[in-house]
Amino acid sequence: MKSLGELFGCFKRQPRQGEATAPANQSTSDTPSMGAVASGMPPPKRPAPAESPTLPDERNVDEPGIPLKEALKEANNAKIAVFYSQNTSDEEKQILEIEAILKALKDPADVEKPLEIPDVQRIRVSSASKKAIQYLTLHNSWPLIYIKGNAVGGLKELQALKKDYLKEWLRDHTYDLIVIGGGSGGLAAAKESARLGKKVACLDFVKPSPQGTTWGLGGTCVNVGCIPKKLMHQASLLGHSIHDAQKFGWKLEGKPEHQWGHLRDSVQDHIASLNWGYRVQLREKTVTYINSYGEFTGPFEISATNKKKKVEKITADRFLIATGLRPKYPDFPGVKEYTITNMAERIRKHMIAYGLKFESGVPTKIEQIEEKTDEKAGKYRVYWPKKNEETGEMQEFSEEYNTILYAIGREAVTDDVGLETIGVERAKSKKVVGRREQSTTIPWVYAIGDVLEGTPELTPVAIQAGRVLMRRIFEGANELTEYDQIPTTVFTPLEYGCCGLAEEDAVKKYGKENIIIYHNVFNPLEYTISERMDKDHCYLKLICLRNEEEKVVGFHILTPNAGEITQGFGIALKLSAKKADFDRLIGIHPTVAESFTTLTLEKKDGDEELQASGC
């Protein structure tokens, strides 16, 4: 991730006389092992914040104020702090009003345990640092108030907070942080905050699916997403490899057969080991793990209900919502009782070639014909409207199936968390509306991952956001999570990897006349002898900007092992690579990835479909 120093150039300064120079590139991050890349790849609903122009280095700005890094640390460590810059009469007037509001919260002398109101710590910074802080927090109000390390806003935002909320905020609580949700992002945040010396609790509880399915600690990715998906994908690939092996001279005795029960048990055993490993990691890092469903019953209070319906009330200074998503269900008979839950035209064609049939329609009803047992699958009849090709009229159509999988998207698990009780703003999607990861309405509540409005629904994004956020709110770090140019992969039979913009999004953002697309099809060498039908469907393209020296803004590939290829090339887009950089790179021969170093064919409207050739 970029630091604000890279964006503004205002953090670096020469060491004062006698100061030691910190070692460069010192890393304190935890070892990542939270799962494979998530399979879905929705585009961000809002763009990542644009980079601000580089400001003069703070060393060269002749104005008072402590260095930004020190200022952020001071604000983080103070109970109440106010950033100011010009020391004008207007700033002084607002700071005095802020102090008056806080002093008015003081309890009468006869209260048994009166609330102590600490003095407001004033922190003066340069105008360059002011802009950097406003960019970091997305608060334009100034002077800027911090309470217990959380950016509140200015005088107006302070006045908007309920007095009893503000008063309760200044009291002591059991935990520094309560994380609601033990998925990839929640676990990463809990462990990182504990590493920073904070007292942390992590709540995780899985409500059963309509068919009664539950799972252990680790969230969707580990239990019912990335990990089992990739393992089953690998099982399918191995089936094809058995066929290929014979073409390459391997003699196999008898007809190979697949044992589904063995695969299922092996996958579940691996997931169970991960569940246990996460519990051990939390214990080792002194994170309190609570297997209960958390719900706000007060601005700083969570009621945690376990499976025995026993309720425990716990409090904290701040909260992180990391509850993730659960599958959506349409509203028609049979959909919840009889179904289970979980691209592009080239992928569709490839799957059709494998024998998959696509029907265009929305089911209206599902009926059970035969009940499923442990030994065999059930049988179901699905009804949907279909156009009669002869008459052109819509008629009800039905077919029988053994399994029905719904994959129409997921929705945020925020309805039963009590967010409306304390006033956390949510979007129509039920996701938390954030200023960065911080709630726009309740400054001690944060959200990451799939439940934060406008961010990609991907496991590594949640992990990164959780770690970066904890360093920012507990250490005053000048870091932000970058929500753009994220490499990801869909593990279809022929994998699809991408990074950056889709062709349609690039045209919409930059205009068709400013876009140039280089593309080609190719035949992987390993598919030649085996005569795999997949060889006719491999494809790649680079989307570039004409008016910016053909800067690459989109990378796409349909190929075996697309995930491994995309992860490697993703760094090129992060470093603003141009088409010429891909051309200068010498490829590894014979590989699929080398095709990106020899792209010369420009995609144009009306071109005939490309035909693949070998190396």
Side-chain angles (χ1 to χ4, degrees):
M1 76 295 295
K2 288 186 175 69
S3 70
L4 292 182
E6 294 175 87
L7 297 178
F8 290 94
C10 61
F11 299 139
K12 298 179 181 178
R13 62 176 175 85
Q14 296 291 351
R16 296 192 183 101
Q17 189 171 2
E19 282 186 335
T21 303
N25 301 324
Q26 190 172 34
S27 174
T28 57
S29 62
D30 214 358
T31 302
S33 75
M34 296 301 299
V37 182
S39 63
M41 49 165 60
K45 297 182 181 66
R46 67 178 178 199
E51 293 187 4
S52 298
T54 303
L55 298 172
D57 193 299
E58 195 170 53
R59 291 169 297 172
N60 301 323
V61 179
D62 188 19
E63 57 178 295
I66 66 173
L68 184 57
K69 186 175 181 180
E70 294 178 24
L72 289 169
K73 275 192 172 291
E74 283 192 23
N76 177 259
N77 294 328
K79 202 160 190 178
I80 306 173
V82 175
F83 284 117
Y84 71 105
S85 54
Q86 299 300 322
N87 202 24
T88 61
S89 58
D90 180 61
E91 283 191 342
E92 178 64 20
K93 179 182 177 182
Q94 290 193 54
I95 293 175
L96 291 175
E97 287 189 58
I98 291 167
E99 291 175 335
I101 290 172
L102 295 168
K103 287 178 181 178
L105 301 173
K106 189 175 181 179
D107 286 326
D110 57 349
V111 173
E112 185 177 348
K113 292 183 178 180
L115 174 65
E116 295 184 6
I117 307 297
D119 293 333
V120 175
Q121 182 170 341
R122 300 186 179 196
I123 305 174
R124 189 173 184 181
V125 296
S126 67
S127 59
S129 293
K130 171 187 173 181
K131 290 181 180 179
I133 292 170
Q134 289 176 324
Y135 180 80
L136 178 71
T137 62
L138 291 186
H139 277 291
N140 291 322
S141 302
W142 200 262
L144 180 62
I145 307 160
Y146 267 61
I147 296 179
K148 291 186 173 180
N150 304 282
V152 175
L155 178 60
K156 181 180 177 182
E157 286 77 15
L158 183 67
Q159 292 170 333
L161 284 176
K162 294 181 180 179
K163 286 189 177 180
D164 55 338
Y165 280 18
L166 186 55
K167 195 170 182 178
E168 179 60 29
W169 198 1
L170 293 172
R171 297 188 188 279
D172 293 331
H173 300 107
T174 306
Y175 293 97
D176 296 304
L177 172 72
I178 290 177
V179 178
I180 304 178
S184 301
L187 290 175
K191 291 187 289 185
E192 183 70 0
S193 53
R195 184 187 69 81
L196 297 172
K198 302 303 176 181
K199 188 176 181 181
V200 186
C202 180
L203 281 72
D204 188 65
F205 188 90
V206 179
K207 288 187 175 181
S209 71
Q211 293 192 347
T213 304
T214 62
W215 49 84
L217 182 64
T220 298
C221 171
V222 169
N223 292 282
V224 291
C226 317
I227 299 299
K229 173 271 309 289
K230 182 67 182 295
L231 291 174
M232 291 183 182
H233 175 63
Q234 177 64 14
S236 175
L237 295 179
L238 287 173
H240 293 293
S241 296
I242 292 173
H243 170 268
D244 293 351
Q246 298 176 77
K247 294 286 186 177
F248 280 89
W250 287 95
K251 186 177 181 181
L252 302 177
E253 299 294 338
K255 182 181 179 181
E257 63 176 39
H258 184 264
Q259 296 178 315
W260 166 254
H262 183 84
L263 171 63
R264 178 199 60 208
D265 294 344
S266 297
V267 170
Q268 290 179 345
D269 288 347
H270 177 66
I271 291 171
S273 72
L274 295 177
N275 298 147
W276 175 251
Y278 298 139
R279 296 186 68 163
V280 170
Q281 291 170 20
L282 292 181
R283 184 170 65 245
E284 289 176 344
K285 293 185 179 295
T286 67
V287 174
T288 301
Y289 167 57
I290 304 174
N291 185 205
S292 298
Y293 194 90
E295 180 180 2
F296 281 98
T297 47
F300 298 90
E301 179 187 80
I302 292 290
S303 290
T305 306
N306 65 18
K307 61 182 178 182
K308 296 181 179 179
K309 304 301 180 184
K310 182 180 179 181
V311 179
E312 176 187 6
K313 294 186 181 292
I314 52 178
T315 63
D317 287 340
R318 55 173 67 78
F319 302 85
L320 178 64
I321 310 300
T323 49
L325 310 176
R326 291 294 288 269
K328 290 180 181 177
Y329 288 91
D331 186 18
F332 62 82
V335 67
K336 291 188 178 180
E337 298 91 334
Y338 308 133
T339 65
I340 60 175
T341 54
N342 217 75
M343 253 157 267
E345 181 59 23
R346 287 183 176 272
I347 294 176
R348 180 175 174 273
K349 287 181 178 180
H350 177 250
M351 296 177 77
I352 288 174
Y354 263 108
L356 190 70
K357 182 170 68 173
F358 285 85
E359 290 280 2
S360 179
V362 178
T364 56
K365 183 173 60 174
I366 300 173
E367 293 177 346
Q368 179 176 265
I369 300 173
E370 295 179 9
E371 189 173 352
K372 70 176 181 179
T373 67
D374 291 338
E375 287 74 31
K376 67 173 185 176
K379 188 177 290 186
Y380 309 93
R381 180 169 291 277
V382 181
Y383 296 81
W384 70 93
K386 187 174 181 179
K387 190 175 183 179
N388 187 306
E389 295 182 0
E390 294 181 1
T391 65
E393 296 179 352
M394 297 299 292
Q395 297 178 345
E396 186 176 63
F397 185 79
S398 69
E399 279 192 4
E400 294 181 4
Y401 301 96
N402 295 116
T403 301
I404 306 161
L405 171 68
Y406 254 86
I408 61 171
R410 300 179 294 159
E411 59 186 4
V413 184
T414 57
D415 277 345
D416 302 321
V417 186
L419 297 180
E420 69 285 349
T421 301
I422 62 172
V424 173
E425 181 187 5
R426 293 189 296 165
K428 288 183 179 180
S429 63
K430 301 182 181 180
K431 297 187 178 189
V432 175
V433 178
R435 185 181 286 108
R436 305 280 187 218
E437 294 82 14
Q438 185 182 35
S439 165
T440 54
T441 51
I442 303 297
W444 57 88
V445 173
Y446 296 81
I448 58 169
D450 297 351
V451 293
L452 178 60
E453 177 69 6
T455 56
E457 298 170 0
L458 296 167
T459 294
V461 173
I463 295 172
Q464 179 85 327
R467 290 174 176 160
V468 171
L469 176 62
M470 293 305 103
R471 292 195 288 268
R472 196 164 74 239
I473 63 178
F474 287 127
E475 279 194 321
N478 54 11
E479 294 180 82
L480 292 173
T481 299
E482 299 173 47
Y483 291 108
D484 62 338
Q485 296 173 329
I486 297 168
T488 191
T489 295
V490 178
F491 291 99
T492 37
L494 193 59
E495 296 176 15
Y496 167 51
C498 72
C499 184
L501 296 175
E503 186 175 333
E504 297 79 6
D505 293 332
V507 169
K508 185 176 179 181
K509 183 174 182 178
Y510 296 106
K512 191 172 183 179
E513 67 282 1
N514 294 320
I515 297 295
I516 181 170
I517 298 172
Y518 295 95
H519 72 151
N520 212 339
V521 291
F522 55 91
N523 185 358
L525 183 62
E526 54 265 45
Y527 281 0
T528 54
I529 292 178
S530 59
E531 299 176 347
R532 290 275 291 271
M533 51 78 61
D534 308 72
K535 63 182 173 56
D536 299 323
H537 299 275
C538 296
Y539 176 77
L540 77 165
K541 67 179 175 182
L542 290 177
I543 303 169
C544 309
L545 298 182
R546 287 184 187 275
N547 55 356
E548 293 189 29
E549 300 179 41
E550 296 192 349
K551 175 184 174 181
V552 180
V553 295
F555 171 103
H556 302 264
I557 186 167
L558 187 61
T559 183
N561 303 308
E564 307 299 335
I565 296 169
T566 305
Q567 182 68 73
F569 275 111
I571 191 65
L573 274 73
K574 296 299 287 185
L575 297 175
S576 301
K578 297 180 172 58
K579 174 61 167 57
D581 296 316
F582 280 77
D583 295 339
R584 290 189 298 113
L585 181 65
I586 297 174
I588 301 172
H589 186 72
T591 63
V592 163
E594 71 173 317
S595 300
F596 278 107
T597 68
T598 58
L599 276 177
T600 57
L601 186 62
E602 183 180 343
K603 183 180 179 182
K604 296 179 180 179
D605 292 340
D607 282 352
E608 294 183 0
E609 187 169 342
L610 299 176
Q611 299 297 319
S613 61
C615 293

